[in-house]
Amino acid sequence: MERKDIRNAVLSHLAAQGTKYVPAGVSARHVHLSQADLDCLFGPGHSLHPCKALSQPGQFAAQERVTVAGPRGELAGVRVLGPVRGKTQVEVAFSEVKRLGIPGQVRMSGDVDGTPGCTLKGPAGQLTIPQGVIVPARHLHLSPLQAACFGLKDGQPVSLRMGGQRAGLLEQVICRVGEGHDLEVHLDTDEANALCVTDGDLLELVSPEAEKKGGCSCGGGCHGSCQGTCGGHHAAPEPPPAPVNETEPMDLVTERDVEEAWKRGIAVIRCLPRCIVTDAARERAMSLDVEIKR
């Protein structure tokens, strides 16, 4: 079993108990090609050469690269992903469609009708596709079993919160549930850079009830991450009882775990060797003087 399989099994188990975090995958610009377009760009009968397996089962990054050209500029060395698809599709960030001079349309993968086209250049030739350039909508992959643990359905929009110095809320993250999917939220490079998200970072699934309640009077959906500076209900917490003990070893530590330990007077949260500690948990532990100890 791979490390990500163990991680996702742990996250699914915790989600079934009410603690819901999902791992992030940052998706750089890439191209999916039909077999006919692959032949045009790389030669008749060409097959993709896998160089790296991707997080979603059966998908891979290929050795092949192409140049994507628009009215204003080009993007060289854009990776081709496999396997081949029925329709050619180019996925780029908003900052990149501006560089190309192409209107940016946010779409789910595969929904290319009515989208702008571009020119693709390969070692054996070039072609112009009439449509297929999209800015990929942020989405969350889940297997049916994982979706059941998280209480989510295919096509359902959810919100995810990232902690840290550039904390923020990502809304309208569309769930993609089915066989051949594995737990991971996919963000493009613009979104990831805005929140300082890197591959493997954990984002908290925010329940609809929590979003409606808001949490703090700041109106920013901080859900407690403001640590009381907004003047909301976190501004004056009741003083904690004297710390007297430690937690049992944990495999995931969240902001909620830190607050619960503090309320119970626990001064030390013990972690297993490969324990996942969220950024929000570290910040909350520092503010409440709770030690996270491996």
Side-chain angles (χ1 to χ4, degrees):
M1 182 178 288
E2 295 184 8
R3 184 173 181 178
K4 79 175 184 68
D5 296 326
I6 297 173
R7 176 201 65 189
N8 287 353
V10 170
L11 291 174
S12 297
H13 175 73
L14 292 170
Q17 298 177 338
T19 301
K20 300 180 180 181
Y21 281 82
V22 299
V26 181
S27 182
R29 62 196 184 204
H30 59 271
V31 174
H32 299 278
L33 294 174
S34 68
Q35 185 61 53
D37 290 347
L38 179 66
D39 291 344
C40 178
L41 295 171
F42 292 91
H46 188 85
S47 297
L48 292 175
H49 298 83
C51 66
K52 180 183 178 182
L54 300 180
S55 62
Q56 299 308 299
Q59 299 188 28
F60 60 88
Q63 295 178 11
E64 288 76 5
R65 296 173 182 263
V66 298
T67 295
V68 179
R72 249 184 234 167
E74 296 183 347
L75 299 172
V78 179
R79 180 81 66 182
V80 178
L81 302 189
V84 294
R85 292 194 177 185
K87 293 181 180 180
T88 292
Q89 176 177 297
V90 178
E91 299 186 30
V92 290
F94 257 114
S95 60
E96 293 165 335
V97 291
K98 289 183 178 181
R99 179 176 167 185
L100 293 170
I102 296 174
Q105 292 196 22
V106 178
R107 297 287 188 93
M108 292 297 291
S109 181
D111 180 14
V112 298
D113 291 344
T115 57
C118 69
T119 297
L120 299 176
K121 302 177 182 180
Q126 70 177 46
L127 59 90
T128 298
I129 56 173
Q131 60 184 19
V133 179
I134 67 169
V135 176
R138 55 181 75 125
H139 54 279
L140 173 60
H141 290 281
L142 306 103
S143 70
L145 179 59
Q146 291 164 346
C149 292
F150 279 83
L152 300 175
K153 298 180 180 179
D154 185 46
Q156 178 180 350
V158 298
S159 296
L160 300 174
R161 187 174 73 85
M162 179 63 185
Q165 292 182 332
R166 302 190 71 180
L169 188 69
L170 292 169
E171 299 180 304
Q172 293 298 310
V173 181
I174 307 301
C175 295
R176 302 195 67 179
V177 179
E179 300 296 342
H181 293 261
D182 196 15
L183 183 65
E184 190 172 70
V185 58
H186 283 181
L187 308 175
D188 69 27
T189 50
D190 285 353
E191 295 170 316
N193 289 338
L195 298 180
C196 295
V197 175
T198 59
D199 284 331
D201 284 350
L202 295 181
L203 283 73
E204 181 184 10
L205 181 69
V206 181
S207 67
E209 293 76 13
E211 286 188 83
K212 291 176 183 177
K213 291 177 182 178
C216 291
S217 59
C218 63
C222 70
H223 305 286
S225 63
C226 63
Q227 299 178 6
T229 58
C230 68
H233 76 282
H234 290 280
E238 295 181 4
V244 293
N245 55 2
E246 301 181 351
T247 65
E248 292 297 320
M250 302 173 67
D251 49 20
L252 174 67
V253 179
T254 68
E255 183 180 12
R256 183 185 304 173
D257 295 322
V258 174
E259 291 180 346
E260 285 299 316
W262 177 75
K263 290 176 182 177
R264 292 163 51 198
I266 296 175
V268 178
I269 295 176
R270 295 173 58 198
C271 300
L272 293 169
R274 291 191 177 182
C275 175
I276 299 171
V277 182
T278 67
D279 289 339
R282 290 191 182 94
E283 291 185 359
R284 198 64 172 146
M286 290 180 63
S287 69
L288 298 177
D289 197 25
V290 174
E291 181 185 359
I292 297 176
K293 183 178 181 181
R294 292 188 181 276

